[in-house]
Amino acid sequence: MTGEDRFLETIEADDKVEPRDWMPDGYRKTLIRQIAQHAHSEVIGMQPEGNWITRAPTLMRKIILMAKVQDEAGHGLYLYSAAETLGVSRDELQHLLHTGKQKYSSIFNYPTLSWADIGAIGWLVDGAAIVNQIALQQTSYGPYARAMVKICKEESFHARQGYSILLALSRGSEAQRAMMQDAVDRWWWPSLMMFGPPDAESTHTEQSMEWKIKRVTNDELRQRFVDQTVPQGQHLGVTFPDPDLAYDEGTGHWMIGDIDWDEFWAVVKGDGRLNRERIAAKVRAWEGGAWVREAATAYAEKVNLRRTA
Ligand code: BYC
């Protein structure tokens, strides 16, 4: 049996492809692209929320937010490790991100203007991420699927903390409720864009579904998210900034209006509100942290030498 036959059999049987297995070049490239983009999103995603750590309204909220932001760094690390199993180095991936050759999620190019935005990110952004990542637990590449299991558990906590922030605001003053509504107005559409372009315009979906890298299409995932989120919004007492949002009795789904895909593509191509600032901050952190990496490597080498002496 050739490597290719074995690969096709593994995919057909819903088994996992492992790093040592033969795989088509395109499969490897698609995985590196998607896993790297996913890892970069986790790390860049620390910036909008990190922005509010010093201004969290209570000590408890500050502690929770710090833990959440730290979790996102951890998710980045699991994902970079998964990408490394495909034969690409972490340094190379950093370089590709810093030079704009690899992407990160469009959502992190929007600013966090109020404390309610931290609630909206947890509820909507982590909520959208979970819907996508639950499906990715079944992805065909073993290291990616296993990373998703741990990440999903942590993301569930993240989504709840966001909802808890909004629930507190919903029970607060009129000004607090207005702040929550304003956050939902600004984050709703960008959250829907996180799932990527419509299926008909998605470059990679067809092949990725065939290889079982993706298990559910962009539009189907977006619909799942809308169906789960609208009733949660009703419970909070917020409205969604979409006059066409309506429940369809026939299909049992919430139907949304048109997404502004021009805005999505502008953000993806680098023209969002904060694309330049996000990358500049990331590069600054990478360069500023060089001495930490060097010191950690020197220490590890020293400990290793002592162990082998
Ligand atoms: N933003 O053919 P398509 C988190 C690009 S972080 C930017 O449908 P695919 C969190 C796409 O790359 C969680 N670009 O692509 C962290 C492609 O361009 P290229 C992040 C996008 O890959 C901190 C082109 O558009 N989650 O939870 O089949 C704090 C055509 O698209 C986007 C992940 O990364 C976008 N939104 O499907 C809080 C999930 N969408 O590469 C929370 C993993 C599309 O050909 N990724 N593009 O130049 C995926 O599941 C898939 O990559 C996507 C897109 C569904 C996103």
Side-chain angles (χ1 to χ4, degrees), residues 33-34 37-39 41-46 49 68 72 75 103-108 121 125-126 129-130 132-133 136 144 155 158 193-198 201-205 208 214 218 221 264-265 268:
R33 178 186 61 79
Q34 181 168 325
Q37 178 168 323
H38 198 160
S41 303
E42 301 283 357
V43 171
I44 297 279
M46 294 165 75
E49 289 178 288
K68 181 196 190 286
E72 307 298 357
H75 297 174
K103 298 183 165 72
Y104 58 89
S105 180
S106 49
I107 192 78
F108 300 117
I121 289 184
V125 176
D126 287 274
I130 293 172
N132 176 301
Q133 290 170 162
L136 284 173
Y144 193 21
E155 297 283 32
H158 296 172
M193 294 174 193
M194 284 176 73
F195 295 95
E201 286 160 38
S202 162
T203 338
H204 304 289
T205 295
S208 288
K214 282 168 98 163
N218 299 359
L221 286 173
F264 170 76
W265 288 116
V268 170

Side-chain angles (χ1 to χ4, degrees), residues 218-252:
N218 299 359
D219 285 333
E220 279 178 71
L221 286 173
R222 193 170 5 251
Q223 187 63 54
R224 277 186 199 176
F225 172 69
V226 170
D227 289 339
Q228 116 182 354
T229 307
V230 172
Q232 294 169 352
Q234 290 172 330
H235 183 69
L236 285 173
V238 290
T239 56
F240 292 92
D242 179 358
D244 295 325
L245 184 69
Y247 187 69
D248 179 9
E249 295 281 353
T251 58

Side-chain angles (χ1 to χ4, degrees), residues 38-227:
H38 198 160
H40 299 327
S41 303
E42 301 283 357
V43 171
I44 297 279
M46 294 165 75
Q47 293 186 36
E49 289 178 288
N51 179 33
W52 277 88
I53 289 175
T54 54
R55 289 173 288 167
T58 67
L59 178 61
M60 194 48 72
R61 292 284 185 203
K62 189 196 287 273
I63 292 168
I64 294 170
L65 183 58
M66 279 168 66
K68 181 196 190 286
V69 172
Q70 197 173 325
D71 281 354
E72 307 298 357
H75 297 174
L77 295 183
Y78 311 150
L79 286 160
Y80 285 127
S81 298
E84 280 176 314
T85 65
L86 292 156
V88 61
S89 78
R90 206 173 289 202
D91 279 4
E92 206 177 326
L93 295 178
Q94 298 304 311
H95 178 72
L96 291 170
L97 171 65
H98 297 167
T99 52
K101 294 194 183 91
Q102 278 182 343
K103 298 183 165 72
Y104 58 89
S105 180
S106 49
I107 192 78
F108 300 117
N109 294 304
Y110 293 85
T112 40
L113 304 178
S114 76
W115 172 249
D117 286 18
I118 301 306
I121 289 184
W123 175 41
L124 298 175
V125 176
D126 287 274
I130 293 172
V131 169
N132 176 301
Q133 290 170 162
I134 284 176
L136 284 173
Q137 287 179 347
Q138 306 301 324
T139 190
S140 56
Y141 188 56
Y144 193 21
R146 290 188 287 274
M148 283 301 112
V149 174
K150 188 158 182 345
I151 289 179
C152 277
K153 287 190 181 141
E154 293 177 357
E155 297 283 32
S156 304
F157 155 71
H158 296 172
R160 274 163 172 256
Q161 69 84 38
Y163 199 74
S164 146
I165 290 172
L166 295 185
L167 210 51
L169 293 176
S170 76
R171 292 170 183 156
S173 65
E174 207 169 298
Q176 285 171 317
R177 281 195 296 278
M179 183 165 75
M180 168 175 70
Q181 182 61 57
D182 172 60
V184 174
D185 288 345
R186 283 180 291 105
W187 289 94
W188 174 245
W189 289 111
S191 305
L192 299 180
M193 294 174 193
M194 284 176 73
F195 295 95
D199 293 349
E201 286 160 38
S202 162
T203 338
H204 304 289
T205 295
E206 196 181 338
Q207 179 63 75
S208 288
M209 294 285 288
E210 220 167 275
W211 279 330
K212 297 187 181 169
I213 291 174
K214 282 168 98 163
R215 304 307 305 256
V216 184
T217 70
N218 299 359
D219 285 333
E220 279 178 71
L221 286 173
R222 193 170 5 251
Q223 187 63 54
R224 277 186 199 176
F225 172 69
V226 170
D227 289 339

